[in-house]
Amino acid sequence: MSTTSLPAPDRSPRLREALLAAAFTADGLLDLLGAPAYAALARSETVPALRATRGDSPLDTLVRLFLLQRPVPYERARAALPLDECVEDGWVIRAGEEVRAAVDVRPYSGPEGQDWFIVSDLGCAVGGAGGIGSHEEGVVLGVGGASSTLAGITVRTPVASALDLGTGSGIQALHAAQHAIRVTATDLNPRALAFARLTLALSGAAPADLREGSLFEPVGTETYDLIVSNPPFVISPGARLTYRDGGMGGDDLCRTLVQQAGDRLNEGGYAHFLANWQHVEGEEWQDRLRSWVPRDCDAWVVQREVQDITQYAELWLRDSGDHRTDPAEYAARYDAWLDEFEARKTKGVGFGWITLRKSAAAADGNPSVVIEEWPHPVEQPLGAAVEAHFARQDYLRTHDDAGLLADHFTLVPEVMQEQVGLPGAEDPEHVVLRQNRGMRRATKVDAVGAGFAGVCDGTLPAGRILDAIAQLMNEDPVLLRDRTPQAIRLLVEEGFLEPVGEA
């Protein structure tokens, strides 16, 4: 596949106007298709959407053309599009009295309701009409769960420079263009860079500096305030498919990206990665990830899922359509995956998020490295919660126990208290505090912890609150002051309490 066959972006504004005029947007699709058909389309089921687009409106035509990738009558296409330009520029192809799409164009809603469009290869919009199947080498995928997750966890403070490493169809570059003055996007696949250019142009975003090459090679020693990457992280025997297979052994590609990111970050800058990592016999996975973190960076690693090696192999064999090939060929490829894992003593594969922040404290030998497993639902977008996590780490490493007791705290909004115990018991066995925002954490606390959190409104310092609790519970205030800072520290670290300084 060459890039010469892809559409020209020069007249994208005219096409964008036509798409918006027809309400070919995320909201417009939901209105036209209805929730059941819209959800079915995300599962690669097209029949409900075909039934919902039997009309002759421009929106019906565009959905059939670009999303369902069915040929449409020439006159209907002319009514919906600046058709001569679209044929000339390569967005669509005319065949007699019918018109068909040359690329997948998919509406995508930005974080502030912007109407964007993601351009990718036909049949390669993840969860779209074509689904994921037997892809050719070099194809470029559209929006998927992974790319949406990465966009959601990224810190969105205004920055001077951002790097989207392995841009694919340009989704992360599009997000970054909203809050970065300068966006650089790289990819090993020149076809991906061409699609990223189309995505940015059709979405009305500023163009990015597009560079071809592997890993950090295209940017040399340049540094950035933000780095994002949804890399080809699949741990596979070989590199059959550019969009998913990294071409390095095991999890070396993800490790290399993370280890090299520190040198490309400006002070205070963030790097966000999606990654897979091996669970190896005789090694704690947390230790493996800890060894990846650059010495001058704080880190927060969240493992969202773990699969055993058979589940993992089957997932990606289905992704590439191998389950629909000759049974003997499928078995041979399955065997090759298991041989690879056996050679590396891999018993499972973890998936999750890795966030780095360039930190002077880390460079001075006092890093904050939090590595945890959290498979539970979270609230997206999570970027603000990620930024708050690192701010809390900064606070905790500069405040000893005496500093905590002298400070003032507030209970964050939407924290609920649950009491757990036997029916009819006078006192609960334990109390659980539960967040309804962000990571949606839950933590057990004792009666002192629950009482302390409940009265934290920023008015009194922590020490005076504990003195009052000691008096109510007939406890020694000195002993209570000695043993409670650890619990306060945990509540701050997990985001239940927010330090507010002195009132």
Side-chain angles (χ1 to χ4, degrees), residues 42 44 106 120 123-128 131-132 141-145:
S44 300
R106 194 154 300 257
S120 63
C124 295
V126 181
I132 292 297
L141 302 189
V143 182

Side-chain angles (χ1 to χ4, degrees), residues 59-91:
L59 182 54
D60 290 310
T61 301
L62 293 173
V63 172
R64 283 187 166 247
L65 181 65
F66 287 121
L67 261 65
L68 304 179
Q69 290 154 21
R70 300 294 200 276
V72 300
Y74 176 82
E75 289 303 326
R76 284 182 56 182
R78 177 178 287 280
L81 294 167
L83 190 55
D84 292 341
E85 288 181 11
C86 288
V87 171
E88 183 180 344
D89 292 346
W91 292 95

Side-chain angles (χ1 to χ4, degrees), residues 333-355:
R333 285 187 169 160
Y334 199 152
D335 240 355
W337 282 72
L338 297 186
D339 284 344
E340 174 79 5
F341 288 132
E342 184 177 327
R344 295 181 176 277
K345 298 182 178 180
T346 301
K347 59 184 180 178
V349 178
F351 166 80
W353 321 322
I354 299 174
T355 297

Side-chain angles (χ1 to χ4, degrees), residues 184-196:
T184 302
T186 71
D187 207 290
L188 182 63
N189 181 2
R191 187 175 178 82
L193 297 176
F195 271 115

